[in-house]
Amino acid sequence: MNESQSTVTNDVILKVEDLHKSYGDNHVLRGVSLQMQRGETKVIIGPSGTGKSTLLRCINQLSVPDQGRVWLGDKEITSHHENINSIRAEIGFVFQSFNLFTHLNALANVRIGPMKVKGMKKKAATTLAMEELERVGLSDKADAYPAELSGGQQQRVSIARALAMFPQLMLFDEPTSALDPELIGEVLEVMVSLANDGMTMLVVSHEMGFARSVSDEIIFMESGGILEQGPAEDFFTSPKEQRTREFLSKITELYGD
Amino acid sequence: MGFFQFAWNILPELLEATKMTLWITAGSIALGFVAGIFLALGRVYGPRPIRWLTGGYIQFFRGTPLLVQLLVVYYGLPPYLSTLGIRISPLVAAIIGLGLNSAAYQAEYFRGAVQSIKSGQMMAARAVGLNRVKSIAYVILPQALRLVIPSWSNELIYSIKYSSLAYFVSLTELTFVGKKIALHTARTFETYIIVAVIYLVIVLIVSRLLLTLENRVRIPGLGAPVEHR
Amino acid sequence: MVRHAFPSLTFGRYTSSMSTIWQSLELLIVKGLPTTILLTLGLLGTGVLLGFPIAFAQVYGYRPLRWLCRGYEQLFRGIPALVLILILHSGLARSFNILLPAFTSALIALGLRSSAYQSQIFRGAIQSVSQGQMMAARALGMSKIRAIRYIILPQAFRLSIPPWTNEYSSVLKDTSLASAIGVLELTKQGTLIFTRIQFVMGVKYILVILILVAFVYLVLTYIGNAALGFLENQLRIPGFEMKGKVER
């Protein structure tokens, strides 16, 4: 897709090896493995309940996998030797329900990470926060509280909040699924610009247009495992598996892409 | 004499007193229930003067201590009542005092329950042809009564505990008799502990029973936030 | 003796009933009110100091700890406040020769009770901060402690103000029970006054005194509620609706 990708050095940011996770009797993740290089954008698609969100949460250990290993760069997240908090500071996570801190305004939301996790001084953190808000197009809303912002604005602030930590990797858990249709665009716009700036992004989404235009690879998950994966263009034009084709046709019916 | 031997000795007298406690509780919560419903309905559906009066009543009884209210009924009012030829016994005074107080709280719980019933219910009732009174009686009340159960259960527990205030009017309920025994036997601490345990046991049993009642009467999908004193 | 205790109440037939009432009110306020206010504040403080750690332990602690806290809560919610007061005053005094001043006994007994209720308030508030907030905080890399301190507690604090206003009202009214052991708070003062006054003015004035006492409590309730309401407004997060109804 992007010419520059093929010349990038072998710089593996994320490596996931054989992840398993069950909730009670429900074996949600059945041996998932994947890898991401610096600057890549990958989109995970698939039917609901197939473990896509669980996969993301297992990467930064918000859910602890039952089995399998995860590396960020050369640090093994799943080993007990690593401090999970410092690992999480390197991974940005964007939630479907935004989860902005309701008692803080937009600016405070963005700068609390640098201040309280990285120990930055208030003045420097404020400057940084304003920059990130600028980057997502919301510098004029710095004083607004989450309840005063629209869904799209809240999500953009939450992206800024994640960016302020200068993460190596960003995880997006259905970032636009909770948004009204007319607000989806502004968030996708930000995500596209992030991808173009070279951020390493793993996105779970139903937004096929986004997936098609920006991702390096599409991953199709079903029943807790990766059924098919491949470069975006090939994936959409000639999917290999029957189930993939069924899913895609259903989606294009609904979303029209 | 060991603790348990002592406890065994005084238990009969305490249990006799417990009966009085339960009478007071029953009387006051019943009075509170009946008065409370009327107050609540007046507050929600009545004309402005009624709403104003009931509101004032509720504010007064919730904003002043129960003890003061009890003293009013037992010491304050009788001089005026005797000119009317009415004399009230300590038991009646306690039940009235506690009952009027309970009515104010129950009125609020009830009002909350009634107001949380969607307006569509009333509209539908009127649409079917029921007049205002019948709509309230057959559609609103049955639902409100279920919704109010958690708060009402809470109120019952409070009534059990507040019956102890009858102590101040020398009624032979649990706390008063407990004090009598305590001073008599000089084993004050132990006596009061036993009294406390009896209250605890009653409260725990009643709580359990109420929980079962709540579950029996539950309608799926119908629930309201529990309000507290 | 009446002369000494109530100098302003030694009147002959010439004093008007109005001035007696005025003097009684004065007495109530000068002697009874400070004690009531002091006791109320002391109880609220004790309640917070004990109640908050218990709430914290109940939400974040290990199971045996949580079980203990629940027991504490059940204990103090099942025993009438009056009985607690008697245990701590007469009970300790006569059985163990521990003579606590009446005020202290009332403070401890009612304080323990308030702490049980307040622990419930704080526990409810902490638990109603949505899970997503904690997740987002952890996702940023905050340790559990930091997340609790910077994200959960500030929100829980705001959420606990309405029910705490309720508790203020409860505590204020509870102080009247201290009259059982002779603490000279508002109700006890009122009782003393009307006991004397019935001989001088007639039995019908008992009601008048009691109404005065009730009036003072109403004023205190109103002031407290207004102050807490003001606090709530100052801390209000724009657009953020608090869950649950505000109990007056």
Side-chain angles (χ1 to χ4, degrees), chain A residues 16-251:
Chain A
V16 173
E17 191 179 272
D18 195 35
L19 272 187
H20 288 263
K21 176 73 184 172
S22 299
Y23 290 107
D25 289 333
N26 194 4
H27 196 169
V28 179
L29 282 182
R30 300 165 190 250
V32 173
S33 304
L34 63 92
Q35 265 195 36
M36 289 191 70
Q37 314 244 21
R38 182 186 301 282
E40 283 193 306
T41 298
K42 298 199 182 186
V43 178
I44 304 177
I45 64 174
S48 308
T50 52
K52 311 194 299 282
S53 296
T54 313
L55 172 62
L56 285 188
R57 289 204 308 272
C58 282
I59 292 175
N60 75 347
Q61 305 286 298
L62 284 177
S63 293
V64 180
D66 302 321
Q67 206 187 310
R69 308 207 280 173
V70 182
W71 285 263
L72 182 72
D74 51 8
K75 296 188 212 145
E76 188 188 333
I77 303 178
T78 38
S79 92
H80 293 294
H81 299 298
E82 291 291 342
N83 179 347
I84 187 59
N85 292 322
S86 54
I87 299 269
R88 285 189 184 139
E90 308 269 343
I91 303 178
F93 199 103
V94 176
F95 295 87
Q96 182 177 345
S97 49
F98 339 132
N99 287 337
L100 284 184
F101 302 130
T102 53
H103 62 303
L104 301 173
N105 65 18
L107 181 65
N109 257 279
V110 178
R111 73 170 175 210
I112 196 170
M115 274 176 73
K116 300 299 182 189
V117 179
K118 290 189 164 170
M120 221 186 239
K121 292 268 184 273
K122 190 166 181 179
K123 205 161 177 201
T126 308
T127 319
L128 168 59
M130 283 306 292
E131 277 170 25
E132 297 303 337
L133 280 175
E134 180 81 48
R135 193 171 172 186
V136 302
L138 286 173
S139 50
D140 58 330
K141 293 282 184 188
D143 290 325
Y145 281 85
E148 297 173 308
L149 297 171
S150 75
Q153 290 168 331
Q154 287 188 55
Q155 193 61 298
R156 285 191 278 154
V157 173
S158 87
I159 294 176
R161 177 177 64 176
L163 287 174
M165 301 292 285
F166 293 122
Q168 291 186 43
L169 165 70
M170 294 248 322
L171 304 173
F172 292 81
D173 187 0
E174 301 207 34
T176 57
S177 299
L179 296 175
D180 290 335
E182 67 268 18
L183 300 173
I184 295 180
E186 61 195 67
V187 175
L188 289 182
E189 225 178 276
V190 170
M191 288 169 69
V192 167
S193 93
L194 277 184
N196 289 334
D197 285 344
M199 174 62 77
T200 314
M201 294 164 55
L202 184 58
V203 181
V204 170
S205 182
H206 299 298
E207 295 295 323
M208 296 302 155
F210 170 80
R212 235 178 147 137
S213 62
V214 143
S215 63
D216 300 303
E217 189 177 71
I218 309 280
I219 299 173
F220 177 65
M221 273 184 75
E222 216 217 7
S223 309
I226 296 178
L227 196 62
E228 189 177 335
Q229 60 190 86
E233 210 42 59
D234 304 338
F235 190 88
F236 283 103
T237 47
S238 43
K240 298 193 197 81
E241 298 283 336
Q242 170 69 10
R243 288 287 300 129
T244 319
R245 265 176 269 142
E246 280 171 21
F247 178 76
L248 283 178
S249 65
K250 252 192 239 155
I251 289 287

Side-chain angles (χ1 to χ4, degrees), chain B residues 62 79-80 105 161 227, chain C residues 77 95 117 173 203-204 247:
Chain B
R62 291 180 57 167
Y80 296 88
Y105 285 90
K161 292 191 292 176
E227 304 176 41
Chain C
R77 292 182 67 165
S95 292
Y117 280 90
K173 291 179 286 184
V203 138
K204 294 204 169 170
E247 278 292 300

Side-chain angles (χ1 to χ4, degrees), chain B residues 2 20 23 30 35 42 60 72 98 105 122 156 181 204 229:
Chain B
M20 174 67 87
W23 275 118
F60 176 81
V72 164
L98 295 171
Y105 285 90
M122 182 58 126
L156 181 57
I181 297 177
L204 285 172
R229 261 189 184 239

